[in-house]
Amino acid sequence: MTVGVLGAGQLGRMLALAGYPLGLDFVFLDPARDAAAGRIAPQIAGAFDDPDCLRELARRAEVVTYEFENVPARAVQLLAGLVPVRPPSEALAFSQDRLAEKRLFRELGIPTVEFAEVNDLPGLRSAIARLGLPAILKARREGYDGKGQVLLEREEEVEAAWSRAGGRPLLLESAAPFAREVSLLGVRSTRGETSFYPLVENHHADGILRWSLAPAPGGDTDLAAQASEAGERLMARLGYAGVLAVEFFEVEGRLIANEMAPRVHNSGHWTIEGAETSQFENHLRAILGLPLGSTALRGRCAMVNLVGDIPPLEALMTVPGARVHLYGKQVRPGRKVGHVTVVASDEPTLRSRLGRVFDLVPGARAAR
Amino acid sequence: MTVGVLGAGQLGRMLALAGYPLGLDFVFLDPARDAAAGRIAPQIAGAFDDPDCLRELARRAEVVTYEFENVPARAVQLLAGLVPVRPPSEALAFSQDRLAEKRLFRELGIPTVEFAEVNDLPGLRSAIARLGLPAILKARREGYDGKGQVLLEREEEVEAAWSRAGGRPLLLESAAPFAREVSLLGVRSTRGETSFYPLVENHHADGILRWSLAPAPGGDTDLAAQASEAGERLMARLGYAGVLAVEFFEVEGRLIANEMAPRVHNSGHWTIEGAETSQFENHLRAILGLPLGSTALRGRCAMVNLVGDIPPLEALMTVPGARVHLYGKQVRPGRKVGHVTVVASDEPTLRSRLGRVFDLVPGARAAR
């Protein structure tokens, strides 16, 4: 059985590492030379919308999945006529359009921030009049890790923001006064079986995830129920198969959905060591119709991204309970080149070990 | 950093799966088409003693290791002049010759069965006179999984045994009245750091390992000390780097060394899920001079080989704590095509889960 994957970055690489023990083979499509997954599996080097490449991918794979959500719609259309594509294309369509995504959340009764469609400067002004400031002006499409977003705090900034961001479909969102960001990792198989990992608490710097805690402190009761209820509704509505990540803001004990990613997710990397079954293996089980594996924890977990730099490996390797994951990527500023998982049997031990990792990973500790 | 590996079977495959997260690349040399490791890493398809292939391996790798002990001596000689080969060739030489191996054990004060060199029929008769019967006549070289061995129980069998086994260097060993077989997995790095996994209890059928328990019941006290003392001596004597497996018979509370394998070992597969650091990762750390990872247990563990058949995966996947590993090999009678690891927090739970796996894996439960 061969799984085709659109995108050959680290997520695809970790999918392959999880799938090989299940006897699966992989083939990736990605234009990048020296792609992370291309170092460990066959790669078709070509554009995501190249019909010949897509046909070759479909020919070589029994099922196709993707590791990023900005897959061109026509690529999915072409593929879907040739081979099962999972998660379903509808999930991809919603996650590619922040406005449609927010409307889906609302349709399903999942709390969101206030938001408004913005197509021109007068529309932006009237949206601000309705939502108030501060607010965030976002491109409806593209943009990740905080790119393509402008925080508006005062009326005087409106024209400058418009000149930076305008000219494409936008939406304005109220800036939620959130205490923290948490994420839900859910999984649903083609058989309709669902399971959820414990909530994860995420810490960002410059719009990039820097570290996560699992389970999220204080997230094991009502918060987790709110999150998994939202996840259940989304996955059922979309006829979903695979791992679905949903990011939430916590505002006064209430979860507000921010966005979703129809794929394995950076905030779930800790599951490789920290859960009975990793998000990568469960994604594969889900899209192949196999029974899902347990999402139970094996301890208290943290994950620290290695961004733009690889710290001294030997020092990291001597931190008890720490596991290093490198992606085989060239180091560049702002680029995720690896991560470290830390597992411990109790919270104080985890914090102590995490502190040692922070000492070795510049910039991580300060991330909010 | 690229690691070259002689042999591209399942052990090499699991080495690569453990090394990829460390950012390592791999290249394998193996004559077999469709080799297990060749499905997930570049493979030079050629004979182990083909000088051109060996030179290419040395050119593409910064360090070379091996996944089986019957590497031709001249291959190692050629390689060792071009690139570091670890574990050291001396370990390979001892493990390739059962007589030299036994003499090494004796030199180091490690208990063995009685043994005698046998080169002709009169020599066999005099060895029997000295050792008594039952005894086992073994080829000094080659043979694994019980092949190349003849059990001698009565004088009348001697000539038949000679006609089957004679004509090559042999040794005769007393047949130890052993209670069970246990194995030690030790690891020593190029820096001289050593560590040992808990003792493993092994169960065979037809000379093939069928299942293992870790830790070996009752093996956590004096037995473990006997084993690790032997491991320390062997690894120090050989200037060892990598994982070393030593098989012992337990006879009345005393461990008698049977043989060693200078490589990762089937009886250590449970370490992937069951130990803090797998034997595969620690082998790589050891040969690369990195700090060794913890060999502590994450629970009570069992490993069941899938021999000659792949049972229904979905049923195996629903056994709690069970993890399936397939090697991507074609099924053939007697061929190891995968294994299942079972982990539990206590012994009764482990036994119950193991029972469910036995129900799905024909022939495993009955193995002694």
Side-chain angles (χ1 to χ4, degrees), chain A residues 13 17 20-23 25 39-40 191 276-277 281 285 290-291 298 314 317-318 323-326, chain B residues 13 17 20-23 25 39-40 191 276-277 281 285 290-291 298 314 317-318 323-326:
Chain A
R13 179 177 166 106
L17 290 176
Y20 284 142
L22 302 177
D25 292 315
R39 296 175 79 104
I40 70 163
R191 304 168 173 190
E276 295 270 339
T277 314
E281 180 171 336
R285 292 189 185 211
L290 292 167
R298 297 207 277 193
E314 303 193 12
M317 282 180 163
T318 58
R323 314 293 301 167
V324 178
H325 296 256
L326 299 183
Chain B
R13 180 177 164 105
L17 290 176
Y20 283 143
L22 302 177
D25 292 315
R39 295 175 79 103
I40 70 162
R191 303 169 174 189
E276 295 270 339
T277 313
E281 180 171 336
R285 291 189 186 212
L290 292 167
R298 297 206 278 194
E314 302 194 13
M317 282 181 164
T318 58
R323 315 291 301 166
V324 178
H325 296 256
L326 299 182

Side-chain angles (χ1 to χ4, degrees), chain B residues 80-103:
Chain B
L82 300 169
V83 66
V85 179
R86 294 166 187 156
S89 58
E90 201 185 2
L92 209 46
F94 279 116
S95 70
Q96 288 178 352
D97 180 347
R98 291 192 171 81
L99 183 65
E101 187 179 68
K102 287 262 171 1
R103 286 175 173 157

